[in-house]
Short mmCIF file of all heavy atoms in Angstrom, two decimals:
data_model
loop_
_atom_site.label_atom_id
_atom_site.label_comp_id
_atom_site.label_asym_id
_atom_site.label_seq_id
_atom_site.Cartn_x
_atom_site.Cartn_y
_atom_site.Cartn_z
N PHE W 1 37.76 11.34 -211.14
CA PHE W 1 36.72 10.33 -210.78
C PHE W 1 35.69 11.01 -209.84
O PHE W 1 35.85 10.91 -208.64
CB PHE W 1 37.39 9.19 -210.01
CG PHE W 1 38.28 8.29 -210.79
CD1 PHE W 1 39.57 8.67 -211.13
CD2 PHE W 1 37.89 7.06 -211.29
CE1 PHE W 1 40.42 7.84 -211.82
CE2 PHE W 1 38.68 6.23 -212.01
CZ PHE W 1 39.98 6.62 -212.31
N PRO W 2 34.66 11.59 -210.38
CA PRO W 2 33.63 12.20 -209.51
C PRO W 2 32.77 11.13 -208.82
O PRO W 2 32.31 11.30 -207.68
CB PRO W 2 32.79 13.04 -210.46
CG PRO W 2 32.96 12.38 -211.81
CD PRO W 2 34.34 11.86 -211.78
N SER W 3 32.53 10.01 -209.49
CA SER W 3 31.74 8.92 -208.92
C SER W 3 32.63 7.65 -208.86
O SER W 3 33.20 7.21 -209.84
CB SER W 3 30.53 8.63 -209.84
OG SER W 3 29.77 7.57 -209.37
N ILE W 4 32.75 7.13 -207.65
CA ILE W 4 33.75 6.05 -207.46
C ILE W 4 33.01 4.85 -206.91
O ILE W 4 32.41 4.84 -205.85
CB ILE W 4 34.85 6.48 -206.44
CG1 ILE W 4 35.55 7.78 -206.95
CG2 ILE W 4 35.83 5.36 -206.23
CD1 ILE W 4 36.47 8.40 -205.90
N GLY W 5 33.15 3.70 -207.61
CA GLY W 5 32.61 2.45 -207.21
C GLY W 5 33.66 1.39 -207.13
O GLY W 5 34.75 1.60 -206.62
N CYS W 6 33.37 0.28 -207.74
CA CYS W 6 34.36 -0.86 -207.77
C CYS W 6 35.45 -0.47 -208.80
O CYS W 6 35.12 0.14 -209.85
CB CYS W 6 33.69 -2.17 -208.18
SG CYS W 6 32.58 -2.80 -206.90
N GLU W 7 36.69 -0.89 -208.53
CA GLU W 7 37.81 -0.55 -209.43
C GLU W 7 37.63 -0.99 -210.89
O GLU W 7 37.85 -0.23 -211.80
CB GLU W 7 39.10 -1.05 -208.82
CG GLU W 7 40.37 -0.58 -209.51
CD GLU W 7 40.72 -1.45 -210.73
OE1 GLU W 7 40.32 -2.62 -210.75
OE2 GLU W 7 41.39 -0.91 -211.68
N PRO W 8 37.20 -2.22 -211.11
CA PRO W 8 37.10 -2.66 -212.53
C PRO W 8 35.95 -1.96 -213.29
O PRO W 8 35.93 -1.97 -214.50
CB PRO W 8 36.76 -4.18 -212.40
CG PRO W 8 37.12 -4.56 -211.01
CD PRO W 8 36.87 -3.34 -210.21
N CYS W 9 35.04 -1.32 -212.59
CA CYS W 9 33.84 -0.80 -213.24
C CYS W 9 33.78 0.76 -213.14
O CYS W 9 32.73 1.34 -213.40
CB CYS W 9 32.59 -1.36 -212.52
SG CYS W 9 32.51 -3.15 -212.61
N THR W 10 34.90 1.38 -212.86
CA THR W 10 34.91 2.85 -212.77
C THR W 10 36.16 3.34 -213.47
O THR W 10 37.23 2.86 -213.25
CB THR W 10 35.00 3.29 -211.25
OG1 THR W 10 34.00 2.58 -210.48
CG2 THR W 10 34.78 4.77 -211.13
N ARG W 11 35.95 4.44 -214.25
CA ARG W 11 37.08 5.07 -214.91
C ARG W 11 36.94 6.61 -214.72
O ARG W 11 35.90 7.13 -214.35
CB ARG W 11 37.13 4.76 -216.41
CG ARG W 11 35.92 5.26 -217.22
CD ARG W 11 36.28 5.35 -218.68
NE ARG W 11 35.15 5.63 -219.50
CZ ARG W 11 34.54 6.83 -219.72
NH1 ARG W 11 35.04 7.89 -218.97
NH2 ARG W 11 33.59 6.98 -220.50
N ALA W 12 38.02 7.34 -214.99
CA ALA W 12 37.98 8.80 -214.99
C ALA W 12 37.13 9.30 -216.11
O ALA W 12 37.00 8.64 -217.15
CB ALA W 12 39.40 9.32 -215.09
N LEU W 13 36.54 10.45 -215.94
CA LEU W 13 35.74 11.06 -216.98
C LEU W 13 36.58 11.64 -218.11
O LEU W 13 37.69 12.11 -217.88
CB LEU W 13 34.86 12.18 -216.41
CG LEU W 13 33.78 11.77 -215.43
CD1 LEU W 13 32.91 12.95 -215.09
CD2 LEU W 13 32.87 10.65 -215.97
N LYS W 14 35.99 11.65 -219.31
CA LYS W 14 36.55 12.40 -220.41
C LYS W 14 35.96 13.76 -220.44
O LYS W 14 34.88 14.01 -219.86
CB LYS W 14 36.26 11.62 -221.73
CG LYS W 14 36.82 10.22 -221.77
CD LYS W 14 36.37 9.50 -223.04
CE LYS W 14 36.84 8.07 -223.05
NZ LYS W 14 36.32 7.32 -224.23
N PRO W 15 36.65 14.75 -221.09
CA PRO W 15 36.12 16.13 -221.09
C PRO W 15 34.71 16.19 -221.61
O PRO W 15 34.36 15.58 -222.65
CB PRO W 15 37.10 16.84 -222.06
CG PRO W 15 38.36 16.06 -221.89
CD PRO W 15 37.95 14.63 -221.75
N GLY W 16 33.83 16.90 -220.89
CA GLY W 16 32.47 17.07 -221.29
C GLY W 16 31.48 15.97 -220.91
O GLY W 16 30.27 16.12 -221.12
N GLU W 17 31.97 14.90 -220.30
CA GLU W 17 31.07 13.78 -219.87
C GLU W 17 30.32 14.17 -218.57
O GLU W 17 30.91 14.83 -217.72
CB GLU W 17 31.81 12.54 -219.68
CG GLU W 17 32.32 11.86 -220.96
CD GLU W 17 32.95 10.48 -220.69
OE1 GLU W 17 33.69 10.39 -219.71
OE2 GLU W 17 32.67 9.58 -221.51
N PRO W 18 29.08 13.68 -218.44
CA PRO W 18 28.34 13.91 -217.18
C PRO W 18 28.94 13.10 -216.05
O PRO W 18 29.76 12.18 -216.25
CB PRO W 18 26.94 13.47 -217.48
CG PRO W 18 27.11 12.51 -218.63
CD PRO W 18 28.28 12.95 -219.42
N GLU W 19 28.52 13.40 -214.84
CA GLU W 19 29.14 12.94 -213.64
C GLU W 19 29.23 11.41 -213.48
O GLU W 19 30.26 10.87 -213.04
CB GLU W 19 28.37 13.50 -212.40
CG GLU W 19 28.96 13.18 -211.07
CD GLU W 19 28.26 13.96 -209.98
OE1 GLU W 19 27.86 15.09 -210.23
OE2 GLU W 19 28.13 13.40 -208.87
N ARG W 20 28.23 10.68 -213.97
CA ARG W 20 28.23 9.22 -213.79
C ARG W 20 28.62 8.41 -215.02
O ARG W 20 28.44 7.21 -215.06
CB ARG W 20 26.86 8.78 -213.22
CG ARG W 20 26.61 9.24 -211.78
CD ARG W 20 25.28 8.75 -211.29
NE ARG W 20 25.13 7.29 -211.28
CZ ARG W 20 25.60 6.49 -210.33
NH1 ARG W 20 26.30 6.97 -209.31
NH2 ARG W 20 25.43 5.19 -210.41
N ALA W 21 29.15 9.10 -216.01
CA ALA W 21 29.53 8.43 -217.24
C ALA W 21 30.68 7.45 -217.07
O ALA W 21 30.86 6.57 -217.86
CB ALA W 21 29.86 9.46 -218.33
N GLY W 22 31.46 7.62 -216.00
CA GLY W 22 32.57 6.70 -215.73
C GLY W 22 32.22 5.43 -215.10
O GLY W 22 33.09 4.59 -214.86
N ARG W 23 30.94 5.20 -214.78
CA ARG W 23 30.51 3.97 -214.17
C ARG W 23 29.99 3.05 -215.26
O ARG W 23 29.14 3.44 -216.05
CB ARG W 23 29.40 4.26 -213.12
CG ARG W 23 29.83 5.25 -212.04
CD ARG W 23 30.94 4.73 -211.11
NE ARG W 23 30.44 3.57 -210.35
CZ ARG W 23 29.78 3.73 -209.20
NH1 ARG W 23 29.49 4.92 -208.73
NH2 ARG W 23 29.36 2.70 -208.51
N TRP W 24 30.46 1.79 -215.26
CA TRP W 24 30.01 0.79 -216.25
C TRP W 24 30.04 1.36 -217.66
O TRP W 24 29.11 1.25 -218.43
CB TRP W 24 28.63 0.25 -215.87
CG TRP W 24 28.54 -0.15 -214.46
CD1 TRP W 24 29.10 -1.25 -213.90
CD2 TRP W 24 27.85 0.48 -213.39
NE1 TRP W 24 28.83 -1.34 -212.55
CE2 TRP W 24 28.01 -0.26 -212.25
CE3 TRP W 24 27.07 1.67 -213.33
CZ2 TRP W 24 27.55 0.11 -210.97
CZ3 TRP W 24 26.58 2.04 -212.10
CH2 TRP W 24 26.80 1.26 -210.98
N TRP W 25 31.15 2.02 -218.00
CA TRP W 25 31.24 2.82 -219.19
C TRP W 25 31.12 1.99 -220.48
O TRP W 25 30.83 2.57 -221.52
CB TRP W 25 32.61 3.56 -219.20
CG TRP W 25 33.74 2.64 -219.40
CD1 TRP W 25 34.35 2.26 -220.62
CD2 TRP W 25 34.43 1.94 -218.41
NE1 TRP W 25 35.36 1.39 -220.40
CE2 TRP W 25 35.44 1.15 -219.01
CE3 TRP W 25 34.31 1.85 -217.02
CZ2 TRP W 25 36.32 0.31 -218.32
CZ3 TRP W 25 35.18 1.03 -216.30
CH2 TRP W 25 36.13 0.23 -216.92
N TRP W 26 31.34 0.73 -220.44
CA TRP W 26 31.28 -0.11 -221.64
C TRP W 26 29.85 -0.42 -222.07
O TRP W 26 29.64 -0.92 -223.16
CB TRP W 26 32.03 -1.44 -221.44
CG TRP W 26 31.48 -2.31 -220.33
CD1 TRP W 26 30.54 -3.26 -220.42
CD2 TRP W 26 31.83 -2.21 -218.93
NE1 TRP W 26 30.28 -3.80 -219.18
CE2 TRP W 26 31.06 -3.19 -218.25
CE3 TRP W 26 32.76 -1.47 -218.16
CZ2 TRP W 26 31.10 -3.41 -216.90
CZ3 TRP W 26 32.79 -1.67 -216.79
CH2 TRP W 26 32.02 -2.62 -216.20
#
């Protein structure tokens, strides 16, 4: 988790994804 926000809206990155791809990923 390089970028950490609210728990429901943040996930761990998948390989090769940029730093903020885990925020509001849907």
Side-chain angles (χ1 to χ4, degrees):
F1 291 79
S3 178
I4 304 169
C6 292
E7 188 276 335
C9 301
T10 311
R11 64 159 171 79
L13 292 187
K14 299 174 183 177
E17 287 187 319
E19 187 171 323
R20 288 181 61 81
R23 304 293 293 277
W24 309 288
W25 69 92
W26 62 91

